Amino acid sequence: MDLPTQLLLSVFTLLMIIGLATAAQRLLGVRFGRLRTFLAALVAFALAQPMLEPILTSLGPIGRENPPAAPALGILLLIVMSVVLIPMVILVIAEALVPPGSVPGPLELVRSVRGRLSRARRYSQITRIAIKHGLGPYLRGRGERLDDRPGKVRLARSLREALDEGGVTFVKLGQVLSTRRDLLPAEFVEELGRLQDQVAPAPWPEIEPVLAAELGGPVDEAFAEFDRTPLAAASIGQVHAARLHSGESVVVKVLRPGIWPVVSKDLDIVRRLAATLESRTRWGRSLGLRDLADGFATAIREELDFRVEAANMAAVTAGGGVTYPAPISAMCTERVLVMRRLSGRPVTAAAPEQGPQLARDLLDCLLRQILIEGVFHADPHPGNLMLLDDGTLGLLDFGAVGRLDDSVRSALRRFLLAMNRQDPLGVTDALLEVVPRPEDIDEAALERALGQFMARHVTAGMDSAQMFTDLFRIVSAYGLSIPPEVAAVFRALATLEGTLVRLSPGFDLIGEARSFAGRHLAERITPEMIKESATQELVALLPMLRRLPRRVERIASAAEHGRFSMNVRLLADERDRRYVTGLLHQVLLTVLGATAGVMAVILLGTAGGPPALANTTLFQLIGYNLLVIAAILVLRVLALIFRRPRDSDDHPARR
């Protein structure tokens, strides 16, 4: 066979396979993947010749001198339908056993393998770090139980060093743990607290290219002076002192080079772990670990973009004895943040007599941001605070900022005021306004639980750390899911509690919060404000109130004279019509397929009849064709049924 003939035959074969795939997909009425459809048609084309060759042989030679008889045309039609039936069966079986999306495509498979290898390398690296610092037995749950303080100090130091070496994500985890005195012993809290201000800085040769790329030129041209020794180093970046050409002193925060790839892998690991726990554990679903992991990832990504931090500085209102540095907007980029320098020292160096007032100012500032302003600093740990030269507090690092709309702030204010009054009903109502209300919640039991909670904690001198823990337990026990923005409030308050204890041991967080509610929230509920709010609401309702008497009169008149009626349009929504039409379509196909199948069985079981071929009667030939038609209709219904669960969101009742 010459080359042109081979090419022509190959093109004809390809067109036959494509036509077979198109016919199978059109008859099934469901769109399948191109690769899946093509493979099904290819398998059908390969099986067609050995399966149908005996039937074609029985027809004898067909040509110009020997045209096919009418029964032979029926056999040919049966053969064509049988060939089309093969890829349809393959596609329906594949749809039932291997739904689309359950097996990744070639590109997705390559990306998945690369991602798995990358995560496996990161898992291996994390494990090596843990073993290097002597934490291997604790990862397997076989670590020795330490009761003496020196042993706890050694283990805490090893944990801190391992988290520091693990990278940004694990340093952030250590920072969060360092504020949870209700979960960890004092030795661990003290040691992990060093992660906030004792992280090893990146060497200058790695920092200089970042500055030059972001500032558009050498460092010496952008600044009159630049100190290459960092003032401080954190998990995200490090800070250098500098002076502008105008003579103003500034600090320059530079993103650590090369942290994006590692952070992306770590966040992917955290997200996958959270999804697994949420799908397999009840407590994971109650806490909404997937949403929490997404919120944690979003927060870290925002912290890695210093333009967000510069915008946050402009949005957050400090005041109340707390100041923050103003950014130099023209020099702020994604990886470099330039801001005016605050003169001071670490807040941990404050004298004991300064502690109570500093703690009070910090609490007042954060509560004002949360409950009144709506934009708040979400990470007020000691590493983000300075004791300024004038004796006040300076608030640093605005990479993590929370935002609350007016409705959430109003509900939180009512929650705090009800806590101050020790009103369980008011606390329950305010809490259910903050979180999504489940349909089957037992409000009476929740009210009793909150009443017991307030009886235990809303008194002076109680442990505020345990208060947050118990509140989260109540929220989890009643299946309440906290929105991310509200979860950020509780996280900030939990972090703040650890900071306040370090500033002023024995600080009465609950008592001071109640005082804040009395000073700032109760004063907002004045007769003037109530009058103003009522006036605004009345102005908004006035057009409707003016039309209301006429509408009431029309309704009353229609009811009096027997003309009152209601018009309800069934299936007015296009999605409802499409859903009902799809159901009727399935029912009709099922009836037609069943009818064709019953008729085929009857005809195949009927003896006698006009002969069509040597061993086949006309009744049998028609029965075989009807049997194939019934199979095609049934396969079309099955394809719709298997695909329907994944497309059920089209129906509005399921939204």
Side-chain angles (χ1 to χ4, degrees), residues 60-76:
I62 297 176
R64 291 183 178 180
E65 296 80 6
N66 189 20
L73 293 177
I75 293 293
L76 291 176

Side-chain angles (χ1 to χ4, degrees), residues 419 422-424 427 447-460 462 467 470 474 510 514:
M419 289 274 286
Q422 299 193 35
D423 177 13
V427 170
E447 181 181 343
R448 289 193 298 270
L450 290 173
Q452 296 172 1
F453 165 80
M454 287 187 292
R456 286 195 303 269
H457 296 290
V458 187
T459 55
M462 293 301 295
M467 179 190 73
D470 289 348
I474 293 174
I510 300 173
R514 295 178 67 178

Side-chain angles (χ1 to χ4, degrees), residues 344-620:
R345 58 190 187 277
V347 72
T348 53
E353 60 272 13
Q354 293 179 287
Q357 184 59 45
L358 294 176
R360 198 172 295 111
D361 290 342
L362 179 60
L363 176 63
D364 187 88
C365 174
L366 190 66
L367 290 179
R368 180 183 293 275
Q369 291 174 358
I370 293 173
L371 300 173
I372 299 177
E373 305 297 337
V375 183
F376 61 95
H377 195 294
D379 196 17
H381 62 74
N384 289 337
L385 294 169
M386 284 183 62
L387 180 62
L388 304 182
D389 292 339
D390 60 0
T392 61
L393 285 174
L395 194 57
L396 310 175
D397 194 356
F398 288 79
V401 167
R403 291 177 172 82
L404 302 173
D405 58 39
D406 185 65
S407 61
V408 175
R409 295 201 309 272
S410 178
L412 287 175
R413 288 195 294 266
R414 289 194 295 273
F415 182 84
L416 185 56
L417 287 172
M419 289 274 286
N420 187 36
R421 299 192 307 268
Q422 299 193 35
D423 177 13
L425 179 59
V427 170
T428 303
D429 291 340
L431 179 63
L432 292 177
E433 289 184 28
V434 172
V435 303
R437 180 191 294 265
E439 295 181 359
D440 55 349
I441 187 172
D442 188 347
E443 292 192 30
L446 177 61
E447 181 181 343
R448 289 193 298 270
L450 290 173
Q452 296 172 1
F453 165 80
M454 287 187 292
R456 286 195 303 269
H457 296 290
V458 187
T459 55
M462 293 301 295
D463 185 3
S464 54
Q466 186 63 35
M467 179 190 73
F468 286 114
T469 303
D470 289 348
L471 181 59
F472 273 110
R473 286 176 180 170
I474 293 174
V475 169
S476 175
Y478 285 88
L480 303 176
S481 59
I482 300 180
E485 64 273 13
V486 180
V489 172
F490 285 109
R491 186 173 73 87
L493 292 176
T495 304
L496 178 68
E497 188 273 336
T499 304
L500 296 176
V501 170
R502 295 188 66 176
L503 284 173
S504 176
F507 184 79
D508 185 9
L509 173 61
I510 300 173
E512 293 295 335
R514 295 178 67 178
S515 299
F516 176 88
R519 293 194 309 271
H520 299 285
L521 300 185
E523 68 184 15
R524 298 172 64 88
I525 309 176
T526 60
E528 291 77 11
M529 292 193 64
I530 294 175
K531 180 179 179 181
E532 182 180 357
S533 299
T535 303
Q536 293 176 355
E537 294 292 337
L538 184 61
V539 169
L541 292 174
L542 188 59
M544 184 185 69
L545 293 176
R546 293 177 59 184
R547 293 190 297 268
L548 187 60
R550 293 195 301 272
R551 292 181 177 178
V552 172
E553 173 62 24
R554 291 178 191 151
I555 294 174
S557 176
E560 180 181 1
H561 294 87
R563 297 192 306 270
F564 184 75
S565 62
M566 297 179 63
N567 293 326
V568 179
R569 296 181 58 191
L570 296 177
L571 304 178
D573 194 298
E574 174 63 28
R575 293 171 298 178
D576 289 331
R577 293 195 298 270
R578 187 167 61 247
Y579 180 74
V580 173
T581 302
L583 290 179
L584 293 176
H585 187 203
Q586 283 186 258
V587 172
L588 180 60
L589 288 177
T590 304
V591 172
L592 290 176
T595 303
V598 171
M599 293 176 62
V601 171
I602 294 175
L603 290 174
L604 290 174
T606 301
L613 294 174
N615 299 319
T616 306
T617 65
L618 181 61
F619 292 160
Q620 291 175 333

Side-chain angles (χ1 to χ4, degrees), residues 157-174:
R157 185 181 302 114
S158 298
L159 178 60
R160 191 258 300 170
E161 292 172 352
L163 292 175
D164 191 3
E165 189 175 346
V168 177
T169 308
F170 296 96
V171 169
K172 285 295 178 185
L173 176 61

